[in-house]
Amino acid sequence: EQFLCPNGKGLKVIAPSAGFTWRDAEASGENSMRWYRDAVGLGGGIPDPTQRDRILHYNEDDVRATWIIRRWMTSDEVKQIPFAEDL
């Protein structure tokens, strides 16, 4: 009925508990904004296509992480998580 998360409920916090890891060790919402700026050349810079690919992989991983969490939370594996009163 409830899912308690002492360290937050963000995707980057929950997904590792379900066994998911991002391909990019620097994956974060803040970094993705920087990668976007670099990809499109905001601020007068030259667009960097490698950052475009990085953003696409990051976004794909976010979708995959969400799918993994949904599967995990409806599987028998989730029964291994302790209840609050067990902690």
Side-chain angles (χ1 to χ4, degrees):
E1 292 180 25
Q2 298 176 356
F3 193 69
L4 303 176
C5 307
N7 297 317
K9 295 180 183 165
L11 190 60
K12 305 293 183 302
V13 174
I14 303 298
S17 296
F20 186 81
T21 56
W22 276 257
R23 289 175 277 183
D24 192 317
E26 297 178 7
S28 72
E30 185 175 336
N31 281 341
S32 72
M33 298 304 294
R34 182 173 46 84
W35 301 337
Y36 173 79
R37 288 190 297 271
D38 293 344
V40 299
L42 276 180
I46 298 170
D48 182 350
T50 63
Q51 295 303 322
R52 180 184 178 274
D53 292 339
R54 194 174 192 183
I55 293 168
L56 289 173
H57 289 146
Y58 168 76
N59 287 338
E60 179 184 344
D61 282 355
D62 274 359
V63 172
R64 290 176 59 232
T66 302
W67 180 72
I68 292 290
I69 290 170
R70 289 180 61 89
R71 282 189 40 210
W72 176 64
M73 291 183 76
T74 58
S75 74
D76 287 338
E77 283 183 58
V78 81
K79 294 176 184 172
Q80 304 298 320
I81 300 171
F83 288 97
E85 57 267 8
D86 296 333
L87 300 174

